């Protein structure tokens, strides 16, 4: 059986992720108590269910801290699993709840929405680092669906996946980054009227940046650091290593470098390339 577990903060996109998995042929169960996880998996294995997705969050009640032990038990039974944790910053969650006018599952008469969000973050902290984390702050639903699709297609749990993610500093630092590189010091195509509307994936911008010695030096420095330390990250039994590269707007320099580094490391690890700003995040 292939098992995908989804958890995270309410309002961070768990329903979007679960619906995509359902469309991908997974048998989906929402809001399952952790204590019932092994029972459900063993029962569905007997029914020959091959792909199972389970959402576990603060609504599931107590027992969250039992999840690592439950996953070890499933691994001993030969169940391959992947864990996806979705979260957003507080401002994004407050805005989403304000727009949807939905009630937070931990809201109470004596608890504000902000207090409910912080309580949930605290309750889920023990399991937040069990797998791949996606910061959905400001991310559009279509982009999240694509990122979840990439996640299930890279066979998590079968070694390290190296992710190069571009972003714009003016939109905020991505919370899911392991390594962050600031490339705002490099020559900026934004100031060329012909290049301004393009992105780092367009050939005129690529030609401009590849003709800049500073850009190629930065690219080489990042590649050397990641390459030198990649074996250590692999030995640490990580599933994902996210290398975030940021420029001012997340449109030109960071996009070019993420794409270039993705191609450079494609033969050394499973590689994903993501662009937060271009995706709407």
């Amino acid at each position: 059986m292939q098992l995908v577990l989804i958890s995270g903060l309410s309002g961070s996109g768990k329903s979007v992720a679960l619906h995509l998995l359902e469309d991908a042929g997974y048998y989906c169960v929402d809001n399952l108590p952790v204590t019932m996880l092994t029972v459900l998996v063993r029962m569905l294995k007997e029914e020959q269910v091959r792909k199972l997705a389970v959402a576990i969050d603060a609504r599931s009640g107590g027992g969250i801290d039992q999840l690592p032990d439950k996953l070890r038990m499933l691994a001993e039974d030969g169940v391959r699993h992947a864990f996806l944790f979705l979260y957003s910053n507080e401002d994004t969650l407050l805005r989403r709840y304000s727009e949807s006018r939905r009630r937070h599952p931990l809201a109470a008469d004596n608890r504000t929405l902000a207090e409910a969000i912080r309580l949930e973050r605290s309750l889920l902290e023990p399991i937040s680092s069990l797998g791949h984390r996606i910061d959905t702050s400001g991310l559009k639903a279509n982009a999240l669906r694509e990122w979840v699709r990439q996640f299930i297609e890279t066979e998590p749990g079968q070694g390290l996946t190296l992710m190069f993610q571009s972003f714009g500093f003016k939109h905020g630092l991505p919370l899911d980054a392991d390594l962050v590189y600031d490339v705002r010091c490099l020559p900026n195509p934004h100031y060329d009227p012909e290049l301004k509307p393009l992105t780092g994936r367009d050939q005129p911008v690529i030609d401009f940046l590849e003709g800049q010695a500073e850009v190629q030096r930065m690219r080489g420095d990042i590649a050397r650091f990641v390459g030198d330390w990649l074996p250590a990250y692999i030995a640490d039994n990580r599933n994902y290593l996210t290398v975030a590269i940021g420029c001012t707007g997340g449109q030109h320099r960071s996009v070019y470098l993420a794409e270039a580094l993705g191609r450079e490391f494609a033969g050394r690890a499973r590689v994903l390339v993501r662009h937060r700003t271009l995706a709407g995040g």
Side-chain angles (χ1 to χ4, degrees):
M1 175 184 284
Q2 183 176 348
L3 170 65
V4 175
L5 289 159
I6 299 174
S7 189
L9 302 178
S10 301
S12 62
K14 295 191 302 297
S15 295
V16 172
L18 203 62
H19 289 158
L20 179 133
L21 289 164
E22 186 174 28
D23 291 342
Y26 282 78
Y27 185 102
C28 295
V29 179
D30 191 14
N31 193 21
L32 182 76
V34 173
T35 53
M36 295 295 297
L37 180 61
T38 51
V39 176
L40 173 70
V41 170
R42 289 166 182 166
M43 180 184 70
L44 293 179
K45 278 183 69 177
E46 293 179 358
E47 298 295 326
Q48 303 298 309
V49 173
R50 298 300 182 189
K51 298 166 69 176
L52 172 64
V54 177
I56 293 175
D57 53 44
R59 295 173 299 164
S60 303
I64 288 289
D65 56 350
Q66 298 179 28
L67 186 57
D69 290 334
K70 296 291 184 180
L71 294 180
R72 278 193 291 270
M73 294 171 61
L74 291 174
E76 292 171 358
D77 287 346
V79 177
R80 181 164 58 92
H81 69 269
F83 188 92
L84 182 62
F85 190 88
L86 306 179
Y87 62 109
S88 297
N89 61 42
E90 187 170 308
D91 287 344
T92 296
L93 294 175
L94 287 170
R95 185 179 69 253
R96 287 174 180 170
Y97 270 99
S98 176
E99 292 172 350
S100 68
R101 299 189 179 183
R102 293 180 56 201
R103 178 182 174 87
H104 192 283
L106 298 185
D109 292 338
N110 62 343
R111 187 181 296 143
T112 66
L113 174 58
E115 290 170 341
I117 291 171
R118 293 166 194 161
L119 173 61
E120 183 179 39
R121 196 183 302 274
S122 174
L123 292 173
L124 295 177
E125 180 61 29
I127 66 170
S128 64
S129 60
L130 290 180
H132 179 45
R133 295 160 56 94
I134 295 181
D135 172 15
T136 70
S137 303
L139 200 64
K140 294 179 180 177
N142 284 341
L144 177 57
R145 279 191 283 268
E146 174 61 17
W147 290 13
V148 174
R149 183 192 63 77
Q150 291 176 350
F151 172 74
I152 62 176
E153 289 181 353
T154 54
E155 297 189 54
Q158 302 300 302
L160 181 140
T161 295
L162 177 60
M163 185 183 308
F164 292 100
Q165 180 179 162
S166 72
F167 72 98
F169 274 96
K170 72 178 184 180
H171 302 296
L173 192 70
L175 303 177
D176 50 8
D178 297 303
L179 302 173
V180 178
Y181 292 94
D182 181 353
V183 301
R184 288 175 290 182
C185 60
L186 299 178
N188 192 352
H190 174 82
Y191 297 110
D192 185 323
E194 294 184 359
L195 302 180
K196 181 178 178 179
L198 305 179
T199 78
R201 292 186 292 192
D202 293 316
Q203 195 60 48
V205 174
I206 294 172
D207 292 341
F208 171 85
L209 292 173
E210 290 190 343
Q212 307 294 324
E214 305 99 308
V215 175
Q216 298 313 307
R217 181 183 174 189
M218 179 72 80
R219 172 180 169 177
D221 286 346
I222 297 174
R224 276 189 293 275
F225 183 89
V226 175
D228 287 346
W229 286 99
L230 187 59
Y233 286 115
I234 293 173
D236 194 38
N237 294 319
R238 288 173 176 247
N239 288 320
Y240 276 81
L241 176 66
T242 300
V243 180
I245 303 168
C247 60
T248 304
Q251 180 178 337
H252 297 107
R253 296 164 291 180
S254 61
V255 171
Y256 162 77
L257 285 168
E259 292 281 349
L261 290 164
R263 290 191 298 270
E264 185 168 345
F265 280 87
R268 303 177 59 180
R270 284 196 302 278
V271 172
L272 288 178
V273 177
R274 291 177 177 170
H275 305 297
R276 286 197 67 88
T277 301
L278 301 188

